[in-house]
């Protein structure tokens, strides 16, 4: 950087110090910035980081005072960090600059914020009169202020030079360079503080949570996750979530999950997993993809344990048997009946009816979707009766089919014909994929869970690659 003999055309003091080896000063300055980043990683308080940064700038530039100021509510420019506590520092603390046009509103800091440019003044200029005496007693003859340009407005770097300071240490080019470095350090400290706050919140959250990389390996979990699952952090870090699998979810569940999160969208759903003791628990799970530069690199999974709530729902469903809203059996009640027959080694045949590609109906707006679901339920009641069908979820129904294969085939044919008839307010259901998956004992399993998974497989045909990967991740 060029050596300037004076700072301005009006009565600027001449700097008499010999020219320093600028490369050495530059190296000291870069080490001061590196130290600031290192201290941030070490989680030092931001006040300490900025104070040490100001000290490093002052030492590398031969300046008696370097300060970082920030405009607060009311317009006062308050000192956030300083290289040392001098008389000028004390006076600026007692009588801070203000952005209000008063006698303390024409200093270099307020003018720099107003013009968004570097402002350099001699201490004998009128605009610096409120702080002149303190500056002169500190041996300061020149003050240069530069606004910091980053997402948080109102920050100003102030460089104060004495007659012994090198001329380049307080010129516009150097102020721009130093201000840019300070802005990066402060912005990085804000980002790190937000991330630390988020990590602290997740770590202490009442909801269980873990983070997995793009391959599904868990890289972090909180204490609530350990409490919920019974596993320690050492047990889970580096593992896939497959060790939690209960085996109750089929291909379509994971295909929908993967289609959602791999497209960058948030997936929400109910999952049934097992803890370390083998006990099942039910959770409302939210999986959020995140990463950098628009690329998904990790997934955050948050659990809301609803096991007690689900147990109470099952208890109520078993007591009431039928859903007053739909007229069908409660799912828990129908599954209980099927389990009772399986326990007596009676043959059981089930079907899972699934209506897919429902976006066309949802796009009609109004009550079209509710009307569609209500009409399906009415047709199930008419064809099967109230004791042989239950609603599983939106657009999905469990049906109890005849044990005899021939009668079951005939019923399914009738049922699907009825379900594909035109619907009120909707008409023909072209575009909607309405199908049934079937399973029977003992060929497809001897528990209700096994039969449901077999029916799910017959619905899903060949799973998509992401679904297969997630199934492998979740398989026991």
């Amino acid at each position: 950087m060029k050596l300037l003999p004076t700072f301005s055309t009006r009565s600027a003091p001449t700097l008499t110090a010999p020219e320093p080896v600028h490369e050495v000063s530059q190296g000291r300055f870069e080490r001061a910035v590196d130290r600031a980043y290192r201290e941030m990683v070490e989680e030092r308080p931001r006040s300490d980081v900025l104070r040490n940064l100001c000290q490093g700038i002052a030492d590398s530039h031969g300046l008696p005072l370097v300060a970082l100021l920030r405009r607060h509510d009311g317009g006062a420019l308050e000192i956030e960090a300083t290289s040392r506590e001098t008389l000028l520092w004390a006076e600026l603390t007692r009588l801070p600059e203000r952005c209000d046009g008063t006698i303390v509103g024409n200093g270099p800091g307020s003018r720099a914020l107003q013009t968004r440019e570097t402002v350099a003044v001699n201490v004998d200029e009128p605009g610096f009169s409120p702080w002149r005496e303190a500056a002169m007693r500190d041996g300061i003859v020149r003050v240069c202020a530069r606004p910091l340009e980053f997402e948080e407005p109102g920050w100003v770097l102030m460089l104060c030079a004495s007659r012994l300071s090198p001329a380049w240490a307080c010129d516009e080019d150097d102020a721009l360079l130093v201000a840019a470095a300070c802005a990066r350090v402060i912005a990085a400290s804000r980002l790190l503080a937000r991330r630390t706050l988020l990590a602290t919140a997740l770590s202490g959250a009442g909801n269980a949570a873990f983070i997995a990389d793009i391959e599904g390996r868990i890289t972090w979990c909180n204490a609530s996750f350990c409490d919920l699952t019974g596993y320690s952090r050492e047990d889970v870090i580096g593992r896939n979530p497959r060790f939690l699998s209960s085996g109750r979810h089929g291909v379509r569940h994971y295909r929908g999950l993967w289609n959602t999160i791999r497209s960058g969208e948030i997936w929400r759903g109910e999952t049934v997993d097992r803890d370390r003791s083998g006990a099942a628990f039910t959770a409302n799970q939210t999986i959020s993809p995140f990463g950098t530069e628009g690329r998904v690199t990790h997934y955050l999974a948050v659990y809301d344990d609803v096991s007690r709530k689900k147990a109470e729902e099952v208890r109520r469903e078993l007591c009431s048997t039928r859903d007053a809203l739909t007229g069908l059996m409660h799912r828990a009640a129908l599954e209980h009946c099927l389990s009772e027959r399986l326990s007596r080694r009676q043959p059981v045949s089930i079907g899972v009816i699934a209506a897919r590609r429902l976006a066309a109906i949802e796009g009609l707006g109004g009550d079209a979707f509710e009307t569609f679901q209500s009409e399906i339920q009415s047709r199930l009641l008419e064809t099967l009766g109230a004791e042989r069908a239950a609603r599983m979820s939106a657009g999905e129904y469990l049906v109890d089919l005849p044990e005899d294969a021939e009668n079951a085939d005939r019923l399914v044919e009738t049922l699907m014909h009825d379900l594909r008839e035109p619907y009120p307010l909707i008409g023909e259901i072209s575009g909607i994929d309405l199908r049934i998956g079937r399973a029977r004992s003992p060929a497809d399993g001897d528990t209700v869970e096994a039969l449901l998974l077999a029916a799910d497989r017959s619905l899903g045909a060949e799973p998509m690659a992401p679904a297969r990967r997630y199934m492998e991740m979740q398989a026991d």
Side-chain angles (χ1 to χ4, degrees):
M1 227 170 260
K2 60 182 181 296
L3 192 66
L4 300 179
T6 61
F7 285 103
S8 80
T9 56
R10 70 174 298 279
S11 62
T14 302
L15 303 182
T16 58
E19 179 180 0
V21 180
H22 190 60
E23 291 75 10
V24 174
S25 297
Q26 181 68 21
R28 291 176 180 172
F29 169 63
E30 291 175 353
R31 286 193 292 274
V33 175
D34 289 342
R35 177 186 176 184
Y37 285 115
R38 185 172 62 253
E39 289 176 343
M40 282 191 292
V41 174
E42 294 171 353
E43 299 184 354
R44 293 279 297 276
R46 188 171 79 164
S47 58
D48 292 350
V49 174
L50 296 184
R51 183 185 66 247
N52 292 336
L53 177 61
C54 289
Q55 290 175 348
I57 296 170
D59 293 343
S60 64
H61 286 61
L63 300 173
L65 180 65
V66 172
L68 285 166
L69 301 88
R70 182 164 65 95
R71 181 177 57 204
H72 288 252
D73 293 341
L77 280 178
E78 299 183 7
I79 295 178
E80 295 290 323
T82 183
S83 57
R84 53 188 296 223
E85 297 180 356
T86 65
L87 292 174
L88 178 57
W89 164 83
E91 194 66 8
L92 284 169
T93 301
R94 185 188 71 83
L95 188 64
E97 287 193 54
R98 302 185 67 86
C99 299
D100 57 6
T102 62
I103 190 173
V104 292
N106 198 33
S110 59
R111 287 165 54 191
L113 284 178
Q114 293 166 8
T115 62
R116 306 305 302 164
E117 295 178 351
T118 303
V119 174
V121 300
N122 299 324
V123 298
D124 59 357
E125 295 184 20
F128 203 78
S129 59
W131 311 281
R132 181 183 300 136
E133 182 179 351
M136 295 180 68
R137 290 175 64 182
D138 283 338
I140 294 171
V141 297
R142 184 76 164 166
V143 176
C144 180
R146 174 73 196 184
L148 305 190
E149 299 178 1
F150 68 111
E151 63 181 9
E152 183 181 358
W155 283 82
V156 179
L157 168 70
M158 184 174 287
L159 304 174
C160 303
S162 70
R163 292 185 180 276
L164 299 178
S165 302
W168 57 262
C170 206
D171 69 8
E172 182 173 352
D173 291 341
D174 193 71
L176 181 62
L177 173 68
V178 176
C182 291
R184 288 193 296 270
V185 168
I186 297 173
S189 71
R190 284 167 50 84
L191 178 60
L192 187 60
R194 286 198 296 268
R195 291 180 175 177
T196 301
L197 179 63
L198 177 60
T200 302
L202 284 173
S203 296
N207 291 83
F210 71 82
I211 293 176
D213 62 21
I214 196 67
E215 298 299 328
R217 293 183 293 263
I218 295 177
T219 59
W220 173 90
C221 69
N222 64 2
S224 295
F225 178 82
C226 297
D227 294 339
L228 176 64
T229 63
Y231 292 93
S232 68
R233 287 189 177 90
E234 292 74 17
D235 292 330
V236 304
I237 298 301
R239 297 179 64 182
N240 288 331
R242 59 174 172 262
F243 62 88
L244 298 174
S245 174
S246 66
R248 297 189 185 182
H249 299 291
V251 169
R252 291 181 303 123
H253 173 86
Y254 297 113
R255 179 165 58 202
L257 185 157
W258 268 99
N259 285 344
T260 302
I261 64 176
R262 289 179 72 87
S263 65
E265 298 179 0
I266 298 173
W267 181 87
R268 296 179 177 89
E270 185 178 282
T271 60
V272 180
D273 290 326
R274 293 192 184 278
D275 62 20
R276 188 164 194 165
S277 68
F281 63 89
T282 304
N284 288 332
Q285 190 175 10
T286 301
I287 302 178
S288 305
F290 66 96
T292 57
E293 300 179 355
R295 184 172 62 91
V296 174
T297 60
H298 291 81
Y299 302 107
L300 169 64
V302 179
Y303 290 80
D304 181 16
D305 185 9
V306 294
S307 300
R308 292 184 179 179
K309 178 181 177 182
K310 292 298 295 185
E312 180 60 23
E313 288 180 2
V314 170
R315 188 191 67 78
R316 289 198 304 269
E317 289 181 3
L318 289 175
C319 290
S320 60
T321 307
R322 292 179 60 180
D323 185 344
L325 182 63
T326 65
L328 304 175
M329 291 190 72
H330 285 300
R331 176 179 177 177
L334 181 55
E335 289 185 1
H336 178 73
C337 292
L338 296 174
S339 296
E340 288 289 311
R341 284 158 52 189
L342 288 169
S343 67
R344 295 192 296 268
R345 301 189 181 280
Q346 295 178 358
V348 169
S349 177
I350 68 166
V352 173
I353 297 172
R356 302 175 180 174
R357 305 193 185 109
L358 300 178
I361 296 178
E362 294 173 342
L364 295 176
D367 298 327
F369 187 71
E370 288 74 14
T371 300
F372 173 72
Q373 290 197 99
S374 178
E375 184 64 20
I376 283 185
Q377 289 155 189
S378 296
R379 296 180 186 188
L380 288 173
L381 279 171
E382 183 179 349
T383 305
L384 297 172
E387 307 298 323
R388 300 181 66 179
R391 182 178 180 272
M392 299 176 67
S393 61
E396 291 197 351
Y397 301 87
L398 171 63
V399 296
D400 179 13
L401 299 175
E403 301 169 5
D404 177 76
E406 184 176 346
N407 290 333
D409 292 342
R410 188 161 47 249
L411 178 60
V412 166
E413 183 178 352
T414 301
L415 182 60
M416 298 307 292
H417 176 271
D418 292 344
L419 292 177
R420 291 189 173 109
E421 288 292 315
Y423 284 74
L425 303 181
I426 301 171
E428 297 290 340
I429 58 172
S430 59
I432 298 176
D433 182 9
L434 191 62
R435 64 175 69 182
I436 183 169
R438 297 169 60 180
R440 60 180 292 112
S441 67
D444 297 312
D446 55 7
T447 66
V448 173
E449 290 179 6
L451 293 178
L452 287 173
L453 286 174
D456 185 270
R457 284 194 297 271
S458 70
L459 275 171
E462 270 300 306
M464 296 172 63
R468 279 202 302 269
R469 183 193 299 184
Y470 200 78
M471 284 291 289
E472 292 170 359
M473 196 171 80
Q474 295 285 336
D476 286 323

